[in-house]
């Protein structure tokens, strides 16, 4: 009857969300309640923001510490029901392993010559230099490519060489050099806690995608490939016909003398035959 599959995530160092499934032998009307406690609280606190969705229980409670804190106390969690028939379950969570940053916001793109500058807002809840960012650049509509670690602020490889790549940066901006002026580029960003600060493997969700540049329309090139040879062929035929007529006008054909003599003698014979009859 005890709650199973307890999982907790510490969102943006602001609140913790815990989910669990009901016990196999728990009745359908079991009303689980979550309590939490850590060093610094006088008494355990009850989590009041609870919900159930498709048989999965969830409870969310505020969990904040001073921004300059470097060590965090373990969080003790108790899940039970008022009924004595439901077995309680206890767990201890290390919050540094549960950190999930918020989605980066205010993503902006700007292009100067052959370089694109990508910037986004910094987190206000994390200590400085405790987040690293992953920037994904896609050339066109493709969403596959190589992973390239970014060490410098200006990336020496272009998105033209790689359909897409994630790049890691400790600052909230990155520059992509060597871009194609006639291509469309799409960017998105997500954050991850640095291992020096937190032992968490959670990434934030990807930010909203932003695009810059215009994508080549392959339809236009296909039409041009078909149309240009056709126009050249038609123009050649028309030109040949026109030149043939022009040649006839400038250099008319010379009559054959034999045909002229034949017509002359033929007309004389006809005249003589008519005279004899008369």
């Amino acid at each position: 009857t005890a709650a199973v599959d307890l999982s907790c995530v510490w969102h943006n160092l602001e609140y913790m969300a815990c989910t669990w499934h009901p016990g196999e032998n728990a009745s359908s009307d079991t009303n689980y309640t979550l309590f939490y406690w850590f060093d610094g609280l006088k008494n355990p606190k009850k989590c009041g923001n609870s919900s159930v969705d498709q048989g999965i229980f969830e409870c969310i409670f505020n969990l904040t510490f001073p921004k300059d804190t470097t060590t965090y106390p373990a969080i003790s969690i108790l899940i039970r029901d008022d009924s004595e028939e439901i077995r309680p379950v206890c767990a201890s969570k290390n919050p540094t392993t549960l950190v999930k940053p918020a989605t980066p916001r205010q993503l902006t793109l700007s292009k100067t010559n052959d370089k694109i500058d990508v910037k986004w807002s910094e987190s206000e809840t994390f200590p400085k230099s405790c987040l690293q960012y992953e920037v994904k650049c896609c050339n066109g509509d493709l969403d596959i490519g190589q992973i390239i670690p970014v060490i410098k602020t200006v990336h020496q490889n272009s998105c033209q060489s790689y359909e897409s790549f994630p790049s890691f940066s400790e600052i909230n901006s990155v520059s992509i050099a060597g871009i194609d002026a006639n291509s469309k580029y799409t960017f998105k960003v997500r954050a991850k806690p640095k291992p020096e600060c937190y032992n968490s493997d959670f990434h934030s969700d990807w930010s909203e995608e932003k695009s810059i540049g215009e994508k080549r329309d392959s339809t236009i090139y296909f039409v041009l490939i078909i149309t240009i040879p056709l126009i050249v062929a038609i123009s050649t035929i028309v030109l040949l016909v026109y030149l043939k007529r022009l040649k006839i006008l400038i250099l008319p054909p010379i009559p054959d003398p034999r045909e002229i003599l034949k017509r002359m003698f033929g007309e004389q014979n006809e005249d003589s035959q008519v005279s004899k009859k008369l």
Side-chain angles (χ1 to χ4, degrees):
T1 58
V4 295
D5 300 331
L6 174 64
S7 175
C8 296
V9 178
W10 192 14
H11 292 270
N12 207 38
L13 305 183
E14 295 178 313
Y15 65 92
M16 185 169 285
C18 294
T19 60
W20 65 91
H21 290 80
E24 182 180 354
N25 296 326
S27 60
S28 59
D29 60 349
T30 300
N31 185 20
Y32 290 100
T33 304
L34 184 146
F35 296 87
Y36 63 95
W37 179 87
F38 55 86
D39 190 14
L41 288 181
K42 292 182 179 181
N43 300 303
K45 285 190 175 183
K46 178 181 178 180
C47 177
N49 184 13
S50 59
S51 61
V52 184
D53 183 22
Q54 296 181 355
I56 300 175
F57 289 80
E58 181 180 39
C59 203
I60 300 172
F61 56 92
N62 293 330
L63 183 63
T64 58
F65 297 95
K67 192 174 180 179
D68 57 353
T69 300
T70 56
T71 58
Y72 299 91
I75 310 297
S76 298
I77 294 175
L78 167 67
I79 301 176
R80 64 177 179 83
D81 184 81
D82 293 336
S83 172
E84 295 182 355
E85 296 178 357
I86 303 299
R87 181 182 176 183
V89 62
C90 296
S92 179
K93 299 289 185 180
N94 180 358
T96 63
T97 64
L98 308 175
V99 177
K100 180 177 180 179
T103 304
R105 297 175 298 170
Q106 299 176 1
L107 180 64
T108 59
L109 308 177
S110 60
K111 184 166 64 173
T112 306
N113 297 327
D114 65 340
K115 183 180 70 172
I116 295 178
D117 295 318
V118 186
K119 295 183 179 180
W120 56 93
S121 60
E122 289 187 284
S123 172
E124 298 179 355
T125 60
F126 280 81
K128 195 169 183 64
S129 301
C130 274
L131 285 180
Q132 61 185 8
Y133 297 92
E134 188 178 64
V135 180
K136 194 169 189 180
C137 168
C138 299
N139 185 350
D141 297 326
L142 300 177
D143 196 26
I144 55 175
Q146 276 186 323
I147 297 177
I148 305 174
V150 171
I151 300 174
K152 298 180 180 179
T153 41
V154 178
H155 200 282
Q156 301 302 324
N157 295 297
S158 67
C159 287
Q160 187 176 3
S161 302
Y162 305 91
E163 286 94 5
S164 112
F165 65 85
S167 58
F168 294 94
S169 174
E170 294 181 4
I171 58 176
N172 64 324
S173 65
V174 68
S175 296
I176 311 297
I179 59 122
D180 182 5
N182 297 317
S183 293
K184 177 183 176 181
Y185 297 91
T186 302
F187 294 87
K188 56 184 178 181
V189 184
R190 68 179 180 180
K192 182 182 179 181
K194 292 180 65 175
E196 299 92 312
C197 302
Y198 309 98
N199 297 321
S200 175
D201 293 327
F202 288 112
H203 291 84
S204 73
D205 296 331
W206 284 107
S207 69
E208 180 185 3
E209 289 186 350
K210 290 290 184 69
S211 299
I212 192 170
E214 295 294 334
K215 181 184 176 183
R216 285 194 184 100
D217 190 354
S218 59
T219 305
I220 295 177
Y221 291 94
F222 179 76
V223 172
L224 289 176
I225 291 174
I226 299 298
T227 305
I228 291 177
L230 185 62
I231 292 175
V232 172
I234 294 174
S235 300
T236 302
I237 295 172
V238 171
L239 183 61
L240 290 175
V241 173
Y242 176 76
L243 289 177
K244 186 175 181 180
R245 290 188 176 183
L246 188 62
K247 181 180 178 181
I248 293 173
L249 292 175
I250 297 176
L251 299 172
I254 300 174
D256 189 352
R258 291 175 298 179
E259 292 295 328
I260 296 174
L261 293 174
K262 186 176 179 180
R263 284 200 300 269
M264 289 178 60
F265 284 108
E267 291 176 356
Q268 289 179 0
N269 291 334
E270 289 177 0
D271 291 341
S272 60
Q273 289 178 2
V274 172
S275 300
K276 289 180 181 180
K277 288 181 180 180
L278 291 175

